[in-house]
Amino acid sequence: EEENDTEEEYEVEKIEGHRLYKGKVVKYEIKWKGYSSSENTVESATTIHADVPDICLAYWDSMPNIDKPSNLPEKKPKENSTSSNASSISEGNKKESCKSNDSAKQIKNYLRHVPKYMIELGYVFPNSWPNNKTRWNTDLRRICVQASPIEPKTMLCYIEWNNGERTIHSMPEVHKKIPEALIQYYEERLLFV
């Protein structure tokens, strides 16, 4: 009963990178306090701007030679809040930003199985895409299934969408949403000798 009363929080240590699109920042690479850089995640700029605006502004202020995007959060007057509250994202918000059927705990577990090069290629756990209006069969461009480099029995599916988004999904979710595409992926890679 008491487990539901407290909500675990992830504290943002710093922003380590960003992705711009048409002069607006759309994604941030987040370093979480208490976790190694190999567990960084890529989060929606909208979520990060709302939850930790001071960290966002400090990040951009640290790069005076770079043009600032047009959608930065506005500077807010100082409030009576602790720094822990100012730089934390609740598990509930993180779940909302990772709109998949997996719990935040499962996503955290899956994250350790994602090779760093896939993060560098822009693959992230879903936040705003795919959404309820996504037509999985027609909106996807290609899929790739890879075993975890640390535990070969754990498989993840990396999906590139027609809109340019790149997302990471658990195999049960992919089996449920696009079984035909998954079968086609495997059939294209079968080698008969």
Side-chain angles (χ1 to χ4, degrees):
E1 293 175 22
E2 292 181 23
E3 289 178 22
N4 294 335
D5 294 338
T6 59
E7 196 172 77
E8 185 178 353
E9 290 194 356
Y10 297 96
E11 189 172 342
V12 175
E13 183 175 316
K14 64 181 177 177
I15 297 173
E16 292 195 343
H18 64 273
R19 189 174 313 144
L20 296 173
Y21 180 72
K22 293 185 178 181
K24 294 184 178 187
V25 64
V26 292
K27 304 280 183 187
Y28 285 110
E29 179 182 356
I30 301 297
K31 165 79 171 74
W32 299 100
K33 192 170 190 171
Y35 295 92
S36 71
S37 291
S38 67
E39 295 183 286
N40 287 2
T41 61
V42 178
E43 302 291 335
S44 160
T46 305
T47 301
I48 299 302
H49 288 170
D51 290 341
V52 288
D54 294 340
I55 291 177
C56 295
L57 294 169
Y59 170 76
W60 289 102
D61 288 344
S62 73
M63 299 181 292
N65 298 331
I66 295 179
D67 291 334
K68 295 189 179 13
S70 62
N71 64 327
L72 287 182
E74 293 182 21
K75 288 188 179 188
K76 293 183 180 177
K78 296 279 184 189
E79 296 176 16
N80 291 335
S81 65
T82 65
S83 62
S84 171
N85 288 339
S87 62
S88 297
I89 296 178
S90 69
E91 186 177 342
N93 286 345
K94 197 162 185 182
K95 280 183 193 176
E96 186 176 311
S97 74
C98 298
K99 290 182 181 173
S100 74
N101 295 330
D102 299 329
S103 70
K105 205 176 225 183
Q106 287 173 315
I107 289 173
K108 185 80 177 141
N109 181 44
Y110 283 134
L111 190 57
R112 67 187 185 97
H113 297 286
V114 178
K116 187 169 177 93
Y117 67 88
M118 293 306 273
I119 299 286
E120 290 168 357
L121 287 172
Y123 286 92
V124 298
F125 285 97
N127 46 42
S128 61
W129 185 267
N131 56 40
N132 293 340
K133 295 180 181 177
T134 303
R135 294 181 315 250
W136 283 65
N137 283 320
T138 57
D139 289 340
L140 81 96
R141 181 178 298 158
R142 71 174 146 234
I143 64 173
C144 174
V145 176
Q146 287 189 358
S148 163
I150 60 171
E151 191 178 301
K153 288 184 179 181
T154 300
M155 307 285 284
L156 290 173
C157 186
Y158 301 86
I159 299 179
E160 187 173 337
W161 301 91
N162 289 329
N163 66 359
E165 292 283 331
R166 294 177 174 188
T167 55
I168 306 168
H169 301 270
S170 67
M171 291 307 290
E173 180 182 22
V174 175
H175 280 278
K176 180 180 175 186
K177 299 282 189 177
I178 48 171
E180 299 87 8
L182 200 54
I183 291 169
Q184 182 180 353
Y185 171 83
Y186 286 125
E187 285 176 345
E188 289 171 355
R189 283 150 185 82
L190 285 176
L191 179 64
F192 294 100
V193 287

